[in-house]
Amino acid sequence: MTTTVPAPVTRTADGSALQAVFLDMDGTLVDTEGFWWDAEVEVFAALGHPLDERWRDVVVGGPMTRSAGFLIEATGADITVPELTVLLNDRFEARISRGVPLMPGAARLLGELAEHSVPTALVSASHRRIIDRVLHSVGARHFALTVAGDEVGRTKPHPEPYLFAAAGLGAEPTRCAVVEDTATGVAAAEAAGCRVVAVPSVAPIAAAAGRVVVDSLEQVDLAFLRTLITRMN
């Protein structure tokens, strides 16, 4: 279920209140949300069903089973969720086989977290096979733990993935900062009790109490994340 799991931590190396940072993958660290929609459009076109562009906001950021189920119901396609999941993962994996583009600021943020020995986890609704492929581009070395959507009982928007990540790193959820790009991911992180920075990718995310919304990952650094924990505790 996970990559290398370190010994439990109680604080970052410099003793700050921030104990760990959790990062979503698609649309947050890598610019792949459009890849998923393109894969969905192509698969359904092959099945004889065009997709309505308005459905894009419905399926973005959600678990594969929810997105697949919605699109099957919306189109009336004669295919099961497990069958469609295989087709979508195959099409998406083919698209990322030559590498994926990182979001602006992603490499810099990951490097800064590593430099300061901040325990960091990748928490995604994508399946393990997709995460492992993307890690070739992002760098598995940046993460003490990775959590895939098909390795937890309930994935986003349920809080289980973030609660699992916190437990895996021996951290208190309220001392963990999460960076997400979709309302589904934000809901999961907030339900887990984490402090959230939303960086909307495809669909807008409304500001709310205890939630910070920024335009780009370039606005997020370690000092920013530390301040988020300090002022909300």
Side-chain angles (χ1 to χ4, degrees):
M1 179 179 293
T2 61
T3 56
T4 303
V5 180
V9 298
T10 55
R11 287 182 178 271
T12 53
D14 63 357
S16 73
L18 174 67
Q19 292 184 335
V21 174
F22 304 147
L23 299 155
D24 174 55
M25 188 176 76
D26 295 298
T28 299
L29 286 179
V30 291
D31 192 7
T32 51
E33 289 292 10
F35 288 12
W36 277 114
W37 177 247
D38 290 344
E40 288 158 349
V41 168
E42 291 169 7
V43 166
F44 274 89
L47 294 172
H49 297 276
L51 297 188
D52 191 318
E53 183 71 23
R54 292 174 298 179
W55 297 339
R56 184 172 182 173
D57 289 354
V58 178
V59 300
V60 66
M64 176 71 73
T65 52
R66 189 194 73 181
S67 299
F70 170 82
L71 292 173
I72 289 172
E73 182 176 355
T75 62
D78 184 19
I79 190 171
T80 66
V81 169
E83 290 170 341
L84 179 57
T85 295
V86 171
L87 292 179
L88 290 175
N89 275 325
D90 286 348
R91 188 63 60 95
F92 183 79
E93 192 168 1
R95 280 182 164 268
I96 65 174
S97 61
R98 293 183 295 274
V100 295
L102 269 64
M103 297 296 285
R108 185 262 316 150
L109 177 59
L110 289 171
E112 185 179 14
L113 294 174
E115 180 184 355
H116 292 271
S117 301
V118 178
T120 303
L122 182 70
V123 183
S124 176
S126 290
H127 289 188
R128 169 56 57 188
R129 59 180 285 197
I130 300 300
I131 288 180
D132 287 346
R133 174 76 72 169
V134 172
L135 284 174
H136 289 307
S137 297
V138 177
R141 67 188 181 281
H142 292 298
F143 306 102
L145 178 72
T146 64
V147 181
D150 58 338
E151 296 174 336
V152 291
R154 291 165 291 187
T155 190
K156 304 173 187 179
H158 195 275
E160 183 177 344
Y162 283 112
L163 292 173
F164 181 87
L169 295 183
E172 301 172 24
T174 57
R175 299 288 185 181
C176 298
V178 172
V179 185
E180 274 278 1
D181 73 302
T182 67
T184 299
V186 167
E190 290 181 340
C194 302
R195 307 316 184 195
V196 181
V197 180
V199 190
S201 57
V202 177
I205 298 174
R211 178 192 308 164
V212 177
V213 181
V214 299
D215 296 326
S216 168
L217 201 60
E218 292 183 307
Q219 298 171 249
V220 181
D221 59 15
L222 182 53
F224 179 95
L225 296 174
R226 285 173 175 159
T227 300
L228 185 70
I229 298 299
T230 301
R231 72 182 180 208
M232 292 183 182
N233 283 284

